[in-house]
Amino acid sequence: MTRNDKEPGSAVSVRGLVKHYGETKALDGVDLEVREGTVMGVLGPNGAGKTTLVRILSTLLAPTAGHATVAGYDVVREPRQLRRVIGLTGQYASVDEKLPGWENLYMIGRLLDLPRKEARARADALLERFSLTEAARRPAATYSGGMRRRLDLAASMIGRPSVLFLDEPTTGLDPRTRNEVWEEVRRLVGDGVTVLLTTQYMEEAEQLASELTVVDRGQVIASGGIEQLKAKVGGRTLRIRPADPLRLRPLAEALDALGITGLATTTVDSERGSLLVPVLSDEQLTAVVGAVTAHGITLSAISTELPSLDEVFLSLTGHRASAPQDAPAADAHEEAVAV
């Protein structure tokens, strides 16, 4: 499939994408579709395959099998053309810290074959847009974490990409700086840029993404809008806390054995000493409470809650999202595509 054959309205199209490292399956048949001018949030625990997916879509890795196009270009057959229409901001600063901010942007513009005059103009314009003009002549090493992140975003926009990949872009940032990055992302989408965002911050996904894809162990386990995913695991969540913490798992097993149609898997929240039981109706709620009573389990608390995105993640993957960690050394095994 080439640029002129792409599906209308589709900025990123992935079918059966596979990436193996020996016996390890980093990606195991991933399907994904991102509509033009939207933000697709890709959620998943550490090691789920999120960064591998981004590296394949940005031509930094060759897939083992499957097919993917970005802006209509095949990631394997048309990497040179594709690189001219995408931007990438990874988890860590990619700019040269010894160079001033302006020189970083100018250098990237020249590497993208922009004429000198245009490269200078783009550097000036982006420094102003990302509120970095006053620091333009200072080495990037002197920038704060938020300033470096904005410089990274500016660098990814030098070539006016139509598709932007953000791989956990706010890792390690304080809440104020994270909000600044979110505002910049919203502005980019407002300009028509398509964004694929990987994150482990549930708030970030809710703030920015119009659609979500959840990956775990290299596979897509759920996708859709935020409200769709919440409905998938139940319209409400029943939180049950036994008086005796040792009864948590026996109670979970008893509830799973109910066999009520539509009842999602009960999840143990060990940190809070409670069970999370998604329920789809009042009848199911009544049945769950009846089962607790029938098993003679004394409760210290019981409540119903609308599921948060974090609880959706917990229900789908079996554990809570954690703050992003450093990239694993296993990344060294990833094979770069020849330029």
Side-chain angles (χ1 to χ4, degrees):
M1 184 183 291
T2 60
R3 180 172 55 85
N4 293 327
D5 299 324
K6 74 167 184 169
E7 299 177 29
S10 176
V12 179
S13 183
V14 177
R15 294 289 179 270
L17 205 60
V18 174
K19 180 61 180 178
H20 291 175
Y21 298 110
E23 297 298 317
T24 302
K25 296 180 179 180
L27 295 178
D28 190 17
V30 168
D31 293 334
L32 183 72
E33 203 79 28
V34 185
R35 293 179 292 113
E36 291 178 343
T38 66
V39 179
M40 167 65 77
V42 179
L43 308 178
N46 287 324
K50 304 186 300 299
T51 294
T52 298
L53 174 64
V54 168
R55 289 177 177 173
I56 289 174
L57 294 178
S58 56
T59 76
L60 298 177
L61 274 180
T64 303
H67 180 260
T69 61
V70 177
Y73 293 111
D74 188 286
V75 300
V76 174
R77 299 201 307 265
E78 302 171 294
R80 294 179 186 274
Q81 300 96 313
L82 190 154
R83 290 172 193 150
R84 294 185 177 277
V85 297
I86 64 172
L88 170 63
T89 296
Q91 298 178 32
Y92 308 99
S94 59
V95 297
D96 187 331
E97 295 191 346
K98 295 181 180 179
L99 292 179
W102 188 91
E103 289 188 26
N104 266 289
L105 300 186
Y106 175 76
M107 176 182 66
I108 292 170
R110 294 294 290 147
L111 289 173
L112 292 173
D113 293 329
L114 295 183
R116 287 184 173 84
K117 183 177 180 180
E118 185 177 353
R120 285 194 293 268
R122 284 295 289 161
D124 291 338
L126 287 167
L127 286 168
E128 181 175 356
R129 173 169 183 168
F130 286 89
S131 303
L132 292 169
T133 301
E134 291 185 4
R137 302 298 174 178
R138 284 168 40 197
T142 67
Y143 288 14
S144 67
M147 292 170 68
R148 291 190 201 187
R149 228 55 190 119
R150 295 203 302 275
L151 183 61
D152 267 340
L153 280 171
S156 70
M157 297 304 297
I158 284 286
R160 293 185 175 86
S162 60
V163 179
L164 178 62
F165 297 107
L166 301 178
D167 187 18
E168 299 189 3
T170 59
T171 297
L173 298 184
D174 60 78
R176 175 176 169 275
T177 305
R178 188 174 300 139
N179 282 326
E180 291 176 356
V181 173
W182 292 351
E183 284 303 315
E184 293 299 340
V185 173
R186 292 186 186 102
R187 288 174 61 184
L188 294 174
V189 176
D191 289 343
V193 177
T194 302
V195 176
L196 188 146
L197 164 76
T198 75
T199 183
Q200 288 192 55
Y201 294 125
M202 298 300 103
E203 183 185 4
E204 183 162 87
E206 291 212 63
Q207 287 284 334
L208 298 178
S210 51
E211 295 187 42
L212 299 174
T213 293
V214 183
V215 295
D216 197 15
R217 296 182 176 89
Q219 297 182 325
V220 174
I221 60 174
S223 60
I226 292 175
E227 296 307 316
Q228 287 178 300
L229 292 183
K230 287 182 177 182
K232 184 181 180 69
V233 300
R236 287 171 292 174
T237 298
L238 187 63
R239 182 179 292 277
I240 305 171
R241 187 163 69 240
D244 181 1
L246 295 179
R247 303 300 300 275
L248 271 174
R249 295 197 178 277
L251 179 55
E253 293 170 2
L255 294 178
D256 283 339
L258 281 174
I260 301 174
T261 302
L263 181 62
T265 303
T266 299
T267 304
V268 176
D269 183 355
S270 300
E271 291 182 5
R272 299 176 63 178
S274 59
L275 302 178
L276 298 177
V277 187
V279 292
L280 302 177
S281 66
D282 291 341
E283 289 76 15
Q284 288 183 356
L285 188 153
T286 302
V288 170
V289 174
V292 172
T293 302
H295 282 78
I297 296 175
T298 302
L299 302 181
S300 63
I302 183 169
S303 62
T304 57
E305 309 167 355
L306 289 175
S308 66
L309 189 55
D310 188 59
E311 287 167 340
V312 171
F313 187 92
L314 173 63
S315 180
L316 292 171
T317 67
H319 49 80
R320 291 192 177 278
S322 58
Q325 304 293 320
D326 290 341
D331 287 350
H333 294 296
E334 296 179 341
E335 51 218 40
V337 177
V339 177

